[in-house]
Amino acid sequence: MLRKWGRSIVASPPRILVLGFAAIILSGAGLLMLPFSHVQEETPRFIDTLFTATSATCVTGLVVVDTGTYWTTAGQLIIIAMIQIGGLGFMTMATLFALMLKRRISLRERLVLQEAFNQTSIEGIIRLVRKVVVYALSIELAGAILFSIRFMFDMPAGKAIYKGVFHAVSFFNNAGFDTMGNYRSLTDYVGDPLVNIVTMLLIILGGLGFVVLSDLVEIRKPGRKLSLHSKVVLSMSGFLILFGAVIIFIFEYTNTNTFASLPFGEKVLAAFTQSVSPRTAGVNSVDLAGLRQSTQFFIVILMFIGASPGSTGGGIKTTTFTALIGAMIAMIRGKEDVVLFRYRLAQERVYKALTITLFAFGLVMIASMILSTTEDHRFLMILFEVTSAFGTVGLSIGLTAKLTLAGKIIIILMMFIGRLGPLTLSYALGPRKGRVLYRHAEGKIIIG
């Protein structure tokens, strides 16, 4: 009986993903408590190491202690290892090692990979894993080289290379962790074109999703065309980046706390950086606490939408948002079908987009209400923090370091749910769905 119950707990791919991420987080939290991981002599509190490990594994970037000054080099290497595993997915890393050892990948493992990458079938899933690793390491290497060259003008070569590698891995995986010290992020490089452009490219490439990257690489082959998924991701991502930059530029142009003192070119660069970053990266080149409230709320919206499926980012995803916009337009025009790029979306996809959005919105609202009780701060600051955690963004306007114990636990849960996805978690914890043998009679209610 117990053996059967134990098998049922870990039988489904969603449950394996939940347990796998939880194991990595607990292991990382334990390693960060060891003396070689932290600068101070006293052992850090477990809640703080758990918060850091969750933030790293869930590629978020929210921190309760400063990464650059609190953790030793060994501690920072543990953090960056968790970021890499969390960004690519622990099943991707496990599959990579299995392939290196020439071990056969079982059907169950393929099903878990299918769940991890949000694929509709297991066909070609191992080829996708190989591509994921090659693309990720290649992009991170290129980013590390460019960062290292730039940082060598400001610091010794060894330190520059270390920071270059750390930030390339962190930014590509949309984690937002930095080692600049004193929570500065990239504020010292607000007007630096190379640092900002490389950062934005790493974030964008990490947030598009590996399926889209594969499509872009193979588009040069004869007869290959972009899939509908890639077209939707690229068009919506481009729109959100451009639209976000324009809105932030307008709202902050005369703000003396952020853009007012910057030359015009640096204003444009900062606006684009802050438009790209809320797509789950957690990097800031200006003081976010100094932003106008209208800008902060707009960033909350961008964080809620997030990156794209199968990527290193979180949020409800660009495809979900596109499906909802398409459904709204179809309803306004009196059409039955949601049509994107001359393709009709199945009704099931629209229902799933609606379910994910309402589920996510409910989680963010409930967590915000709870934190409004446990934390004595402005509601917008609380909403910003909760949305940042759910979207695995990592941007903060100053609340994270001031969180109470209850507040830290809530944010930890939001980061965990945001990384796995609310539907994956609900499937993992909920009962298995059986076959429906009947349908209820159709009824009508008045809508609107």
Side-chain angles (χ1 to χ4, degrees):
M1 180 72 179
L2 287 175
R3 185 179 299 175
K4 182 179 179 181
W5 177 82
R7 286 198 303 266
S8 67
I9 289 295
V10 296
S12 66
R15 286 174 181 167
I16 294 174
L17 289 177
V18 170
L19 293 174
F21 271 99
I24 294 168
I25 290 169
L26 291 174
S27 301
L31 289 173
L32 290 176
M33 292 191 72
L34 298 177
F36 61 77
S37 296
H38 48 87
V39 175
Q40 298 181 0
E41 293 183 2
E42 64 269 16
T43 304
R45 294 186 302 170
F46 178 71
I47 187 64
D48 291 339
T49 62
L50 180 65
F51 192 102
T52 303
T54 305
S55 183
T57 306
C58 298
V59 290
T60 304
L62 290 175
V63 292
V64 289
V65 294
D66 183 56
T67 308
T69 57
Y70 189 88
W71 306 109
T72 61
T73 301
Q76 292 172 9
L77 290 175
I78 293 171
I79 290 172
I80 205 64
M82 287 189 288
I83 289 173
Q84 187 73 85
I85 295 172
L88 298 184
F90 76 94
M91 276 304 299
T92 302
M93 304 301 290
T95 304
L96 175 63
F97 285 118
L99 292 174
M100 292 172 62
L101 296 174
K102 297 183 179 180
R103 187 177 68 82
R104 182 178 174 274
I105 309 301
S106 68
L107 176 60
R108 173 173 293 181
E109 291 167 338
R110 292 170 190 264
L111 290 172
V112 176
L113 287 168
Q114 176 190 344
E115 179 73 24
F117 286 108
N118 284 320
Q119 296 297 291
T120 55
S121 71
I122 62 173
E123 183 181 359
I125 198 70
I126 303 303
R127 288 197 303 272
L128 179 60
V129 169
R130 292 193 180 99
K131 291 177 182 178
V132 165
V133 175
V134 171
Y135 295 160
L137 295 181
S138 301
I139 295 169
E140 289 172 355
L141 177 61
I145 292 172
L146 293 173
F147 274 146
S148 299
I149 293 173
R150 174 59 187 87
F151 292 153
M152 283 180 188
F153 289 94
D154 301 330
M155 59 192 74
K159 187 176 181 180
I161 293 173
Y162 172 74
K163 285 188 177 293
V165 173
F166 186 99
H167 292 96
V169 174
S170 177
F171 294 169
F172 173 74
N173 287 286
N174 283 207
F177 277 82
D178 70 89
T179 59
M180 297 302 180
N182 299 318
Y183 305 99
R184 295 199 309 270
S185 192
L186 296 183
T187 52
D188 292 345
Y189 296 92
V190 62
D192 192 300
L194 178 61
V195 171
N196 281 270
I197 291 173
V198 171
T199 297
M200 285 188 283
L201 287 175
L202 287 171
I203 294 169
I204 292 170
L205 291 174
L208 288 177
F210 295 106
V211 173
V212 178
L213 291 180
S214 178
D215 265 7
L216 290 174
V217 170
E218 296 181 2
I219 193 65
R220 296 171 296 178
K221 295 181 179 179
R224 290 301 297 266
K225 296 181 180 180
L226 287 177
S227 65
L228 174 62
H229 172 80
S230 295
K231 290 178 181 178
V232 170
V233 167
L234 291 171
S235 58
M236 181 53 70
S237 297
F239 169 77
L240 289 173
I241 291 170
L242 182 60
F243 180 70
V246 171
I247 295 298
I248 293 172
F249 181 84
I250 293 172
F251 284 178
E252 295 299 313
Y253 190 85
T254 58
N255 188 349
T256 55
N257 296 320
T258 54
F259 283 18
S261 61
L262 300 176
F264 183 83
E266 293 186 11
K267 283 186 174 74
V268 173
L269 195 61
F272 271 98
T273 300
Q274 292 314 134
S275 176
V276 171
S277 182
R279 312 301 305 290
T280 83
V283 180
N284 59 286
S285 59
V286 296
D287 181 16
L288 297 180
L291 296 173
R292 291 193 168 103
Q293 290 192 48
S294 56
T295 310
Q296 292 175 349
F297 185 72
F298 179 70
I299 288 176
V300 167
I301 297 172
L302 292 179
M303 292 192 295
F304 186 75
I305 296 172
S308 302
S311 71
T312 59
I316 63 170
K317 304 297 190 295
T318 53
T319 48
T320 302
F321 182 66
T322 304
L324 292 179
I325 297 297
M328 182 185 70
I329 293 173
M331 179 62 68
I332 292 173
R333 292 180 174 179
K335 305 290 186 181
E336 289 188 5
D337 296 328
V338 177
V339 178
L340 301 174
F341 294 97
R342 298 184 180 181
Y343 284 94
R344 174 179 55 85
L345 286 188
Q347 195 174 53
E348 175 196 355
R349 298 289 171 179
V350 180
Y351 282 157
K352 186 174 182 179
L354 182 61
T355 303
I356 290 173
T357 304
L358 290 178
F359 203 156
F361 182 78
L363 285 172
V364 170
M365 290 301 103
I366 292 172
S368 298
M369 286 189 289
I370 295 174
L371 284 185
S372 296
T373 304
T374 63
E375 317 298 317
D376 186 20
H377 295 282
R378 293 182 298 115
F379 182 75
L380 181 57
M381 179 181 284
I382 291 171
L383 179 64
F384 193 100
E385 207 80 8
V386 170
T387 309
S388 179
F390 170 77
T392 68
V393 180
L395 293 177
S396 175
I397 50 180
L399 179 59
T400 306
K402 304 173 185 176
L403 287 171
T404 61
L405 175 61
K408 290 177 182 177
I409 293 173
I410 294 297
I411 294 298
I412 286 173
L413 290 174
M414 290 302 293
M415 289 189 290
F416 189 72
I417 294 171
R419 179 64 184 97
L420 288 167
L423 284 186
T424 298
L425 197 64
S426 66
Y427 291 157
L429 301 179
R432 293 184 180 181
K433 58 181 181 180
R435 183 182 177 186
V436 179
L437 302 178
Y438 63 91
R439 295 181 70 186
H440 291 283
E442 182 179 342
K444 294 183 180 181
I445 60 174
I446 299 173
I447 301 293

